[in-house]
Amino acid sequence: MELFFLIGFIGALVALLFAQSRRLVVMACPEGNDRMRKIASAIREGANAYLKQQYATVARIFAIVFVVLLLMAFGTNGSMLSKFTPFAFLSGGIFSMLAGYIGMKISTQANSRTASAASKSLNRGLRVAFASGSVMGFTVVGLGILDISCWFFLLRFIFGISDPTDLGNIMVMNGMGASFMALFARVGGGIYTKAADVGADLVGKVEAGIPEDDPRNPATIADNVGDNVGDVAGMGADLYESYVGSILATFSLGPLAGYGYRGMLLPMALAVTGILCSVLGTFLVRTDENTDQKALLGSLRRGTYSAAILAALFAAPLTYVILGNMSVYVSILCGLAGGTAIGYFTEYYTSDSYRPTQELSASAQSGTGPLIIGGISLGLKSTMSSILIVAAAVIISFIAAGGYDNYNQGLYGIGIAAVGMLSTTAVTVAVDAYGPIADNAGGIAEMSGLEESVRGITDKLDAVGNTTAAMGKGFAIGSAALTALALFAAYAEAVQLQSINVLDSRVTIGLLLGAMLPFLFSAFTMSSVSRAAFAMIEEVRRQFREKPGIMQGTERPDYKSCVAISTNAALKEMIVPGLLAVAAPLAVGLLLGAEALGGLLAGALASGVMMAIFMSNSGGAWDNAKKYIEGGHNGGKGSEAHKAAVVGDTVGDPFKDTSGPSINILIKLMTVISLVFAPLFLSLGGIL
């Protein structure tokens, strides 16, 4: 049976080879004129410099955590912590880093090529941007499956761990390194990009009245760098840890459900099947010329929906052959259908093809206040559909898997639903990553002085990209809820927690603290963006004031100073939110005990999922409301409604690109840390 896990290496090989084939397609496209190449080179240089410094900073934190884990593992001779965990922590972080870095590299090579392709036709621009996004998507899943497969064979055949329960419990801890890296990548990248974006918009578009991505704006290059380090590299690390986390959580639940190695093989087989289906789905993404946003979304949706349908069809025989029954198949369908439904409702609330964002755009005619109130209301309302979908997926997958007869089998059903939801991650990430690449292409088109029609094409692609990015975030949040539940079940098993008594004062305290943490985390990340944006605004104003020739085009702005501001701010400000995810569960577990920590995790899950959905959808709607006005509606560019919409977009930027998408990582990281340190909490009990 164990040799069947070789399919993981086959899946990884297919994914990475396909990623390389897409990279060659992108690199074969012309990069454009000399001006375009110079701008792309400046963006590439800034992105490389930031990631180099970010990884150096995170490496120091990783080294400290690694030493602590080593002391726990080898100082107690493996009784407190598996001796493999410190090294798995490192490998998870390294693979997560690689996923983000490779995605950033291709995006900075594809931006000018997308602009050049868009000068020929909309369909060519779409294909180049999507092909580069595909490199990111298939790299994420390829590296994820490779890491899991390597550790499985090392543990089983090199170190001789034959008990599937022991092997699953060890492997579930492998996700800590990936979650750790993802949090810093998301938060740091989010702070970087939004500081530049807010500064560029408020001073450039509102105060100076110059177009978006105008080369006279000193923050323009930093803004475009941010698209790559935040929306691509950060997003890649985020989806990597979601993908790996769901598989590993199900690994640990399979033996507990009585399925042994078969219960571990099924999520691996589903992941590989999802890779093959995603390959087919990518070839269905194309569109006609002179199309609208709805048709563009339809072309991208065709790729994701087709991959999901194919995965659903192939999952049926896989489930029967591996497990010998079809009960779990319903759980897999719940995950696939739930992910698709979350994507649809996210599109409904954030795309300007639908009434909510159109009405939000119209409210800008009454000023900034009604627009802000409307965006908050829209985001709050949007939580209902996603939560109902997640709740339905949980209960149906639990019951279908036999949860009423065997509780652990029901938990396995929830875990496999998360794997099903994430099985087509490759094409989902491709659709998500395409957006910031199209955004960069629009910036390069503007800065290099290409014809207005080219910017019109890139704006179409970018507007759709805003929606697909929101859909990707909704998808990640929904899967995070299912994965966190599965990880929570693993934690409960580790500390022998049968139930959580909310009447226990310590549990109540843990529950309240957990519900508060996403709010505190969001406050930290939002204020970080605010401080960094203030510094950026002051720098742009200074350059406009001291270099009047910038506006006349006779002086060159100092782009590097703005890049440095975003870089330094991101590296400084990402530390506290990242450490919060580590300190909170450790403090509660040590002081109040394992049951109170269970309350903390439950509270964080409940409030965090809704907070993440609210912030991501509000931000996406504000962004597309602005784009809708810029498309000629409600007064068009330069109108008072447009100025209000720019402010709304500025508020939404940290909502959708910094705080919102980071919360789902926070939830899972706290759960994994709780699981890793569970023996310590059990041995010490609650000090208080």
Side-chain angles (χ1 to χ4, degrees), residues 124-166:
R124 288 189 184 183
L126 172 66
R127 288 193 171 190
V128 175
F130 183 72
S132 57
S134 298
V135 177
M136 176 69 166
F138 285 91
T139 298
V140 164
V141 298
L143 291 176
I145 289 291
L146 180 61
D147 189 28
I148 293 171
S149 298
C150 286
W151 271 105
F152 179 87
F153 278 90
L154 279 172
L155 293 172
R156 177 65 186 89
F157 296 107
I158 303 300
F159 296 103
I161 300 174
S162 58
D163 188 315
T165 302
D166 293 340

Side-chain angles (χ1 to χ4, degrees), residues 262 287 333 464 466 577:
R262 292 175 297 137
T287 191
L333 288 182
V464 173
N466 289 332

Side-chain angles (χ1 to χ4, degrees), residues 402-422:
Y404 284 165
D405 297 321
N406 186 317
Y407 185 70
N408 286 329
Q409 286 184 0
L411 294 177
Y412 181 79
I414 295 172
I416 205 69
V419 176
M421 185 179 288
L422 288 163

Side-chain angles (χ1 to χ4, degrees), residues 95-116:
F95 274 80
S96 179
M97 177 198 71
L98 279 174
Y101 180 76
I102 292 171
M104 183 278 297
K105 289 291 288 185
I106 189 62
S107 69
T108 56
Q109 292 168 334
N111 48 18
S112 61
R113 290 177 167 85
T114 300
S116 178

Side-chain angles (χ1 to χ4, degrees), residues 339-542:
T340 303
I342 288 173
Y344 170 77
F345 280 104
T346 304
E347 177 188 336
Y348 174 75
Y349 281 109
T350 60
S351 170
D352 66 21
S353 298
Y354 298 96
R355 192 171 72 179
T357 298
Q358 292 176 359
E359 291 179 347
L360 180 63
S361 175
S363 72
Q365 298 176 96
S366 301
T368 304
L371 178 76
I372 298 297
I373 294 169
I376 292 173
S377 173
L378 182 152
L380 292 171
K381 190 187 300 180
S382 73
T383 62
M384 183 182 72
S385 55
S386 294
I387 293 299
L388 288 175
I389 292 167
V390 170
V394 168
I395 190 64
I396 296 172
S397 60
F398 181 85
I399 295 171
Y404 284 165
D405 297 321
N406 186 317
Y407 185 70
N408 286 329
Q409 286 184 0
L411 294 177
Y412 181 79
I414 295 172
I416 205 69
V419 176
M421 185 179 288
L422 288 163
S423 61
T424 56
T425 292
V427 70
T428 303
V429 173
V431 170
D432 193 339
Y434 128 93
I437 294 167
D439 191 7
N440 253 212
I444 291 173
E446 182 74 38
M447 286 185 281
S448 59
L450 297 183
E451 295 179 4
E452 187 65 27
S453 60
V454 179
R455 184 60 197 254
I457 289 174
T458 59
D459 279 351
K460 278 187 179 181
L461 296 173
D462 182 26
V464 173
N466 289 332
T467 302
T468 59
M471 291 167 64
K473 294 180 182 83
F475 183 79
I477 294 164
S479 66
L482 295 178
T483 303
L485 278 172
L487 290 169
F488 183 78
Y491 166 77
E493 180 69 23
V495 297
Q496 296 105 48
L497 189 64
Q498 300 300 315
S499 62
I500 297 177
N501 182 13
V502 295
L503 297 179
D504 186 325
S505 60
R506 292 178 299 175
V507 174
T508 302
I509 292 171
L511 192 67
L512 292 173
L513 289 174
M516 174 271 296
L517 279 174
F519 290 86
L520 182 62
F521 179 85
S522 299
F524 281 145
T525 51
M526 293 278 288
S527 61
S528 295
V529 172
S530 178
R531 285 191 293 271
F534 178 77
M536 185 69 69
I537 288 168
E538 290 299 302
E539 172 60 18
V540 176
R541 285 173 175 169
R542 183 193 67 79

Side-chain angles (χ1 to χ4, degrees), residues 121-127 284-293 295-300 302 457 460-461:
S121 73
L122 183 142
N123 198 38
R124 288 189 184 183
L126 172 66
R127 288 193 171 190
L284 299 177
V285 177
R286 60 178 63 86
T287 191
D288 299 323
E289 303 298 330
N290 302 316
T291 189
D292 59 9
Q293 188 187 56
L296 275 171
L297 276 169
S299 71
L300 293 167
R302 187 165 54 247
I457 289 174
K460 278 187 179 181
L461 296 173

